[in-house]
């Protein structure tokens, strides 16, 4: 057996509304003191706590779900204390416990699938509005849902493959949620919303096993006088308070008797909310109860009430979800039930001096009992088969969705490589063009320099011829100048050859880079094909 874990989260003081910290409200570690009374939850999260701080305390519930147990994370409290912010996130920022839990389980699904163990995560979203449960992911968004033993008979399920898809699904569902503005909250939730996550895994014997996680965002308890609700909002507030009162009654009943076999009648059916949560509170699930409270002095009464019931919830012991513990609890319950019937039979026999029936009636009763037992066994088998078939179908859908997601990621990788290659080629082409311009400028400068040398040489020849007195000296000077001319021409030819070789070298480098980029794309596509082949083989 495991106790319900209780956390308390305080919202910050709203200075814009001129709120003031309640006198006598103190925090010492996890202990809270309000007036003359103290409260000891499992964890206290101050006004400066972050969403990551809250989620860190919810991880043990998710680990239990991964191990095959059912789990529940529930936020509760007065309206305007940040329940929806804690569960889902702020306006446009989806970073609440529900979103982080989905991301955590999706990582587990991917790891299990890569290791060859088919696993899938499916999500349904329910809304309880005015004691009516609706499927928020159905085509119309308001298909009514009926319950069987505390679980929905049929809901629309989305197979999740990525966090982006999960957030889009949550947005789609919450778009239809009933909300309104009150004096205490600009977006006051007028309904309870439950995110149901089914974690389906294939066991070694080939059978599918499913564990459930309920993420519950309750509407807040509300004082009509403080919220200044009117008209339709008054009826909504009345239905919200009625369902929360039923939840409080269940908590009080369970907290007074810890033995599941002898605790007697628990009024789960007084509300659709408690009927849906009967496995979460006093059932087999691992549950965390997050009480959101306000430190504002004006909200002291509601804060005390929330802390009182949170403390009561902490004393509730849920039964372990293992088959052995379930059997033990069931046996103790049957023993108690058998003793009740035996005592009733003894009282009846004592009153009537014995209880006799005919042999035919006795045989008919035995036959009816055998037939009833057979029918119950058949129904149980059919329900188990239907649950397993649903889980197996979810596994197949999960594999397909993951495969599609991985293919999309590989396509994006290939497109990214193509874009990088195109950008590199464009850069190289621009560099080649710039180099050609530089070569042309340098060639023009070299030709100008040679022409200048040629003109200077001619001037020197003229000067020499004018000043030489003999033909021999003139001839020697001419030979010397011819040698100088040949050297200049050779230097010019070497310069031109070096400049002409630069574009050829650049073109070779561009071709080599293109080859490397083409090889990178082929490698990426080969890796994608290999991944698809391996995933297909796993399916």
């Amino acid at each position: 057996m495991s106790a319900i874990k209780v956390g308390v989260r305080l919202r910050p003081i709203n200075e814009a509304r001129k709120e003031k910290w309640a006198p006598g409200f103190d925090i010492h570690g996890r202990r809270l003191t309000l007036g003359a009374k103290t409260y000891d939850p499992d964890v206290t999260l101050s006004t400066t706590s972050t969403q990551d701080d809250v989620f860190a305390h919810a991880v043990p519930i998710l680990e239990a779900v991964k191990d095959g147990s059912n789990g529940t994370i529930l936020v509760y409290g007065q309206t305007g204390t940040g329940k929806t912010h804690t569960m889902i996130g702020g306006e446009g920022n989806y970073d609440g416990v529900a979103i982080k839990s989905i991301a955590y389980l999706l990582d587990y699904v991917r790891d299990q699938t890569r290791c060859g163990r088919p696993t899938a995560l499916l999500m349904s979203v329910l809304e309880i509005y005015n004691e009516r449960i609706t499927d928020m992911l159905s085509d119309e968004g308001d298909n009514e849902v009926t319950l069987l033993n505390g679980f929905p008979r049929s809901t629309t399920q989305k197979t999740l493959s990525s966090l982006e898809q999960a957030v889009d699904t949550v947005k789609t569902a919450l778009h239809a949620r009933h909300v309104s503005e009150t004096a205490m909250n600009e977006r006051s939730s007028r309904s309870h919303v439950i995110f149901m996550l089914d974690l389906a895994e294939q066991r070694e014997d080939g059978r599918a096993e499913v564990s459930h996680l309920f993420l519950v965002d309750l509407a807040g308890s509300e004082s009509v006088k403080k919220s200044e609700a009117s008209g339709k909002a008054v009826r909504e507030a009345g239905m919200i308070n009625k369902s929360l009162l039923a939840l409080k009654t269940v908590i009080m009943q369970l907290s007074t008797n810890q033995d599941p076999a002898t605790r007697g009648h628990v009024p789960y059916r007084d509300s659709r909310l408690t009927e849906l949560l009967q496995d979460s509170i006093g059932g087999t699930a691992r549950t965390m109860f997050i009480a959101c409270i306000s430190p504002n002095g004006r909200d002291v009464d509601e804060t005390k009430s929330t802390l009182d019931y949170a403390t009561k919830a902490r004393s509730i012991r849920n039964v372990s979800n293992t088959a052995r513990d379930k059997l033990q609890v069931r046996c103790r319950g049957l023993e108690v039930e058998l003793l009740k019937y035996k005592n009733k039979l003894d009282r009846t026999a004592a009153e009537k001096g014995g209880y006799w029936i005919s042999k035919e009636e006795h045989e008919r009763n035995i036959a009816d009992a055998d037939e009833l037992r057979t029918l119950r066994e058949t129904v149980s088998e059919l329900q188990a088969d239907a649950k397993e078939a649903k889980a197996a179908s979810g596994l197949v859908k999960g594999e397909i969705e993951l495969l599609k997601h991985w293919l999309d990621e590989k396509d994006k990788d290939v497109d990214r490589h193509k874009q990088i290659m195109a950008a590199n080629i464009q850069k190289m082409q621009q560099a080649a063009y710039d180099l050609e311009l530089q070569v042309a400028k340098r060639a023009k400068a070299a030709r100008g320099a040679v022409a200048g040398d040629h003109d200077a040489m001619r001037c020197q020849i003229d000067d020499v011829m004018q000043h030489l007195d003999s033909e021999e000296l003139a001839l020697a000077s001419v030979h010397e100048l011819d040698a100088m001319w040949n050297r200049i021409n050779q230097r010019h030819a070497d310069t031109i050859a070096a400049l002409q070789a630069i574009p050829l070298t650049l073109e070779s480098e561009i071709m080599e880079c293109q080859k490397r980029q083409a090889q990178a794309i082929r490698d990426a596509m080969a890796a994608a094909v290999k991944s698809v082949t391996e995933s297909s083989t796993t399916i």
Side-chain angles (χ1 to χ4, degrees):
M1 302 177 71
S2 62
I4 292 179
K5 302 300 179 184
V6 174
V8 174
R9 188 180 195 188
L10 285 77
R11 71 160 174 83
I13 287 289
N14 190 334
E15 296 181 355
R17 293 184 176 182
K18 300 181 180 180
E19 294 181 347
K20 295 183 179 180
W21 193 274
F25 189 13
D26 298 316
I27 304 173
H28 305 283
R30 65 181 180 89
R31 171 167 291 184
L32 297 103
T33 303
L34 184 55
K37 194 168 183 179
T38 60
Y39 305 89
D40 292 299
D42 292 291
V43 60
T44 296
L45 298 159
S46 68
T47 56
T48 59
S49 62
T50 65
Q51 300 286 59
D52 288 333
D53 295 333
V54 180
F55 176 70
H57 295 285
V59 170
I61 304 297
L62 304 182
E63 288 296 319
V65 172
K66 286 163 56 175
D67 291 337
S69 299
N70 294 335
T72 299
I73 302 173
L74 179 147
V75 292
Y76 170 86
Q78 174 192 5
T79 184
T81 53
K83 296 181 300 300
T84 299
H85 171 77
T86 297
M87 179 58 68
I88 300 169
E91 187 69 25
N93 188 17
Y94 293 84
D95 61 350
V97 174
I99 307 303
K100 291 181 181 294
S101 298
I102 293 172
Y104 189 88
L105 293 178
L106 277 175
D107 289 340
Y108 174 73
V109 168
R110 294 191 188 97
D111 292 341
Q112 291 292 95
T113 303
R114 289 191 179 101
C115 293
R117 294 185 289 271
T119 308
L121 185 64
L122 302 94
M123 181 169 69
S124 304
V125 186
L126 304 179
E127 180 184 42
I128 303 178
Y129 176 69
N130 290 344
E131 286 299 297
R132 181 173 180 264
I133 303 178
T134 55
D135 182 355
M136 301 183 77
L137 295 182
S138 61
D139 292 337
E140 300 299 327
D142 62 349
N143 288 356
E144 188 167 3
V145 176
T146 57
L147 302 178
L148 176 63
N149 296 327
F151 284 92
R153 291 178 182 270
S154 177
T155 59
T156 303
Q157 288 189 315
K158 297 292 185 182
T159 303
L160 304 181
S161 60
S162 66
L163 183 59
E164 293 77 12
Q165 179 205 8
V167 171
D168 289 341
T169 304
V170 170
K171 288 180 180 179
T172 300
L174 294 181
H175 183 70
R177 186 178 189 178
H178 292 82
V179 297
S180 65
E181 182 177 354
T182 68
M184 299 181 69
N185 192 351
E186 294 180 357
R187 284 184 57 82
S188 175
S189 300
R190 317 308 289 173
S191 63
H192 312 301
V193 170
I194 299 93
F195 299 92
M196 294 176 52
L197 298 177
D198 289 352
L199 183 65
E201 297 186 67
Q202 184 174 325
R203 300 184 306 208
E204 293 181 359
D205 59 2
R207 298 174 68 86
E209 184 179 46
V210 180
S211 54
H212 308 283
L213 175 63
F214 282 15
L215 301 166
V216 186
D217 179 20
L218 294 178
S221 57
E222 183 174 313
S223 168
V224 175
K225 182 179 179 180
K226 290 184 178 180
S227 66
E228 301 177 5
S230 61
K232 179 183 176 183
V234 174
R235 181 173 181 272
E236 292 173 339
M239 299 301 289
I240 292 170
N241 291 337
K242 177 183 176 182
S243 64
L244 294 177
L245 178 61
L247 178 61
K248 294 176 181 178
T249 303
V250 168
I251 291 175
M252 293 297 294
Q253 175 72 19
L254 294 173
S255 64
T256 57
N257 189 345
Q258 301 300 326
D259 189 351
T262 60
R263 62 175 41 143
H265 173 68
V266 180
Y268 286 115
R269 293 184 178 273
D270 286 359
S271 166
R272 305 310 300 275
L273 174 64
T274 51
E275 186 178 0
L276 183 62
L277 295 179
Q278 59 184 293
D279 186 58
S280 304
I281 304 175
T284 64
R286 291 283 303 276
T287 300
M288 181 175 184
F289 191 103
I290 304 175
C292 297
I293 62 174
S294 165
N296 181 26
R298 187 168 178 259
D299 300 325
V300 166
D301 292 338
E302 289 82 356
T303 298
K304 285 182 178 179
S305 176
T306 300
L307 291 174
D308 285 336
Y309 286 106
T311 304
K312 291 291 184 182
R314 187 169 180 257
S315 66
I316 297 174
R317 305 280 176 177
N318 282 3
V319 183
S320 175
N321 202 33
T322 62
R324 180 181 177 183
D325 288 341
K326 281 184 178 180
L327 183 59
Q328 289 178 347
V329 172
R330 180 60 177 160
C331 287
R332 288 199 300 271
L334 289 175
E335 289 173 358
V336 173
E337 189 176 358
L338 180 60
L339 182 60
K340 288 181 180 179
Y341 282 120
K342 185 177 182 299
N343 292 337
K344 183 178 180 181
L345 181 60
D346 291 342
R347 287 195 302 270
T348 303
E351 292 172 359
K352 296 185 178 182
Y355 184 70
W356 305 91
I357 61 174
S358 65
K359 181 179 179 181
E360 292 78 9
E361 187 176 359
H362 175 66
E363 291 176 348
R364 186 166 59 252
N365 287 342
I366 292 177
D368 290 343
D370 290 339
E371 183 179 0
L372 179 60
R373 183 171 58 254
T374 302
L375 288 174
R376 285 177 175 171
E377 292 175 353
T378 302
V379 170
S380 297
E381 291 175 358
L382 290 174
Q383 288 177 341
D385 291 342
K387 183 177 180 180
E388 184 177 349
K390 184 178 180 180
S393 175
L395 285 174
V396 173
K397 290 179 180 178
E399 292 282 343
I400 293 174
E401 290 296 329
L402 278 178
L403 183 58
K404 289 180 179 178
H405 179 66
W406 288 340
L407 283 174
D408 290 341
E409 288 182 341
K410 295 299 180 183
D411 287 341
K412 292 178 182 178
D413 288 340
V414 171
D415 291 339
R416 190 161 51 251
H417 280 296
K418 288 182 178 179
Q419 292 174 0
I420 292 173
M421 184 185 72
N424 288 339
I425 291 175
Q426 185 176 3
K427 289 180 181 178
M428 290 182 178
Q429 288 175 343
Q430 182 63 39
Y433 176 73
D434 294 340
L435 187 57
E436 287 179 357
L437 291 178
Q438 293 179 7
V439 169
K441 290 180 179 179
R442 292 174 64 180
K444 182 178 180 180
R447 285 194 294 270
V450 171
D453 292 341
H454 183 270
D455 293 340
M457 184 189 67
R458 287 299 182 188
C459 291
Q460 291 179 6
I461 291 173
D462 293 339
D463 292 339
V464 169
M465 293 301 295
Q466 291 176 4
H467 294 86
L468 287 179
D469 296 328
S470 64
E471 185 176 347
E472 291 80 5
L473 291 175
L475 183 60
S477 297
V478 169
H479 288 315
E480 182 179 350
L481 291 174
D482 285 339
M484 183 186 301
W485 173 252
N486 291 333
R487 287 196 301 272
I488 291 173
N489 285 337
Q490 183 63 40
R491 187 175 65 182
H492 179 261
D494 292 341
T495 302
I496 295 299
L499 292 174
Q500 289 175 347
I502 291 176
L504 297 176
T505 303
L506 180 60
E507 183 178 359
S508 176
E509 291 178 356
I510 292 174
M511 293 178 64
E512 183 64 26
C513 183
Q514 290 175 341
K515 289 180 181 179
R516 289 197 300 269
Q517 292 290 338
Q519 184 62 40
I521 291 177
R522 286 195 293 272
D523 291 342
M525 294 183 68
V529 172
K530 182 179 179 181
S531 176
V532 171
T533 304
E534 291 175 352
S535 300
S536 301
T537 303
T538 302
I539 294 177

